[in-house]
Amino acid sequence: MSGSCCRFVRTPWEVVKVKKIMAEEGLVQNNEFKIWIMAEVPSVIFAAEEFAQLVDGFSIGSNDLTQLIMGADRDSGILNSMGYFDERSPSVKAAVKMLIEAAHKHGKTVSICGQGPSLYPEFTEFLVNAGIDSISVNPDTISYTRRLIASVEQKIILNKLRSL
């Protein structure tokens, strides 16, 4: 596993404790100092509404989230060749959508980093349709991804206009 034992945020009480420690050092969450967490473990997805009341935003670590949802080490050649490590999995997509909906319900921002959006245009299209706020991609895919996102957003707008 790529993460260390203490890198992941797993529970809301961890956020509360860390915010208290930060405040003791003069770092207080406000309009100029935002607190975001990585959404890399399933517990963050399941408690997203509770986390959303504590933080300003989420960044989905799609590689770790996929690994932990699918129970497949991303560095395992055997499992990868069998298709287990794939951000396009219905389970991973359901988790991402659940997080976006919970965060937006509380006015919070959601971004994503990881290989998925750079590798799979259909995953990027899913993210845009799900309402993701920002997407990080590899430098060599920036131009293509910008055009893809613009195209998907145009389709969304046209569909909304058609339904009027």
Side-chain angles (χ1 to χ4, degrees):
M1 179 112 88
S2 65
S4 66
C5 71
C6 301
R7 181 180 121 203
F8 296 123
V9 173
R10 296 174 181 88
T11 64
W13 67 260
E14 290 172 304
V15 175
V16 171
K17 186 173 182 176
V18 168
K19 285 174 68 172
K20 182 179 178 207
I21 293 168
M22 290 170 62
E24 290 169 359
E25 297 297 324
L27 300 171
V28 179
Q29 182 180 18
N30 59 47
N31 286 334
E32 285 79 42
F33 185 74
K34 306 285 186 184
I35 297 176
W36 282 48
I37 60 169
M38 293 294 296
E40 298 174 298
V41 298
S43 61
V44 172
I45 306 303
F46 295 124
E49 289 202 35
E50 195 172 344
F51 279 106
Q53 295 172 51
L54 298 169
V55 300
D56 298 298
F58 299 87
S59 182
I60 299 167
S62 67
N63 294 339
D64 285 324
L65 186 61
T66 300
Q67 178 172 277
L68 293 169
I69 287 175
M70 300 306 295
D73 185 344
R74 65 180 169 211
D75 297 323
S76 169
I78 296 169
L79 291 176
N80 287 344
S81 68
M82 296 172 70
Y84 289 110
F85 186 83
D86 190 337
E87 290 93 336
R88 299 168 298 175
S89 157
S91 298
V92 175
K93 288 169 62 176
V96 168
K97 190 170 184 351
M98 188 183 308
L99 176 67
I100 292 168
E101 289 173 355
H104 287 177
K105 179 178 177 183
H106 293 276
K108 306 303 171 151
T109 303
V110 182
S111 67
I112 189 165
C113 58
Q115 292 300 308
S118 294
L119 295 176
Y120 309 116
E122 65 275 24
F123 186 61
T124 300
E125 187 169 345
F126 158 77
L127 292 168
V128 174
N129 280 311
I132 195 93
D133 297 294
S134 66
I135 299 172
S136 295
V137 294
N138 295 338
D140 62 328
T141 64
I142 291 172
S143 294
Y144 173 79
T145 304
R146 281 184 178 160
R147 289 190 304 273
L148 175 61
I149 290 170
S151 172
V152 174
E153 288 177 339
Q154 285 177 336
K155 288 177 191 173
I156 292 169
I157 292 167
L158 286 172
N159 287 336
K160 285 183 179 179
L161 288 172
R162 287 182 183 128
S163 68
L164 292 179

